Amino acid sequence: MILVLMGPPGAGKGTQAARLAADMSIPQVSTGDLLREARRDGSDIGKRAAGYMDAGTLVPDDLVIALIERRLEQGDCKPGAILDGFPRTVAQAIQLDDMLERGQRQVGAVVSIMVNEDEIVERILGRLTCGQCGAVFHRLIKPPAVAGQCDVCEGGVSSRSDDNEDAIRTRLQTYTNQTAPVLDYYAGAGRLEKVDGTGGMDDVFERIQDALSVA
Ligand code: ADP
Ligand code: ZN
């Protein structure tokens, strides 16, 4: 089962993808996390991606596709994967379909989490991310048990370098211009399920499960 989780930045994609992955016992594959990991490792892809990420614009398709293809070939993705943050352009969606078709697989379902823009900015400005494992917290809604420290791995938590208001606005614009058309791509193929992303994390998770049970 290859499941695509979509939604604007700050919609709660990462949180819900992690829960779905645990629930379905398949890995969460986040291109944002893969890219941040590549940056930490100082790899060539990481170096080339850094400037785009900090500005809030998209990393070029070929870099992201190389990362995702390599990741999906790993053994733990055999039974399936939850794709989080990919595809983000129609070109990526087409290449994903091609890539999966070569392995006799396909996208099983696409869930889009819908949240309005003001709520998104508020959520992202309060967001804290673990620099070591990528776990996500929020200053007000979900603070770590020990200030500044990750509940999962005890790494340091801080604001991501692209979680400032300018970069957030750019990311929202990028979403509207480049990623929203991906929703039309999947809707046209009858593969899209839309889910209300407001309210508590448990409510959203239930809505996603309901949407998937009818998909
Ligand atoms: P958010 O959902 O809050 O925008 P992500 O962790 O998903 O955060 O992505 C962070 C940044 O990584 C993006 O702004 C973009 O620069 C880059 N990125 C992630 N996924 C992709 C992708 N599929 N294509 C291009 N760039 C990507
Ligand atoms: Zn951590």
Side-chain angles (χ1 to χ4, degrees):
M1 173 67 151
I2 301 283
L3 198 149
V4 173
L5 205 55
M6 300 202 41
K13 275 192 312 281
T15 306
Q16 299 298 340
R19 288 184 69 162
L20 278 172
D23 193 57
M24 299 168 76
S25 300
I26 52 178
Q28 169 191 8
V29 174
S30 153
T31 41
D33 286 348
L34 290 173
L35 286 164
R36 279 184 288 277
E37 203 178 289
R39 286 178 71 167
R40 277 199 298 279
D41 295 347
S43 75
D44 195 45
I45 290 184
K47 284 187 193 130
R48 287 168 62 195
Y52 299 100
M53 295 173 74
D54 287 341
T57 56
L58 291 183
V59 171
D61 287 341
D62 57 326
L63 295 185
V64 179
I65 285 160
L67 274 179
I68 203 97
E69 186 149 31
R70 210 187 297 160
R71 181 66 189 88
L72 288 179
E73 276 166 9
Q74 286 169 6
D76 61 333
C77 290
K78 262 228 170 81
I82 313 283
L83 300 186
D84 157 16
F86 180 89
R88 254 180 163 88
T89 63
V90 172
Q92 290 179 12
I94 292 171
Q95 296 214 43
L96 174 64
D97 279 343
D98 288 348
M99 190 191 303
L100 293 175
E101 203 179 302
R102 284 196 296 274
Q104 327 264 311
R105 320 172 76 179
Q106 59 179 19
V107 170
V110 181
V111 173
S112 172
I113 305 176
M114 321 288 285
V115 182
N116 75 49
E117 187 158 325
D118 289 343
E119 181 155 349
I120 286 171
V121 174
E122 189 179 317
R123 284 187 190 186
I124 302 185
L125 283 177
R127 181 154 77 175
L128 297 167
T129 307
C130 173
Q132 208 159 281
C133 76
V136 179
F137 304 89
H138 191 281
R139 281 180 221 285
L140 306 174
I141 304 163
K142 192 191 169 198
V146 177
Q149 184 180 301
C150 175
D151 292 357
V152 181
C153 76
E154 301 191 350
V157 300
S158 56
S159 208
R160 252 166 52 182
S161 57
D162 59 346
D163 280 351
N164 60 76
E165 190 146 4
D166 277 350
I168 295 168
R169 297 272 175 213
T170 305
R171 270 148 66 208
L172 284 168
Q173 201 121 63
T174 303
Y175 180 81
T176 306
N177 295 339
Q178 288 172 272
T179 307
V182 179
L183 298 179
D184 299 334
Y185 175 79
Y186 286 126
R191 294 187 278 186
L192 184 68
E193 300 290 331
K194 287 187 184 171
V195 165
D196 174 9
T198 56
M201 287 183 298
D202 293 344
D203 299 328
V204 179
F205 186 62
E206 256 180 50
R207 287 181 210 131
I208 294 175
Q209 286 185 309
D210 287 348
L212 286 176
S213 66
V214 299

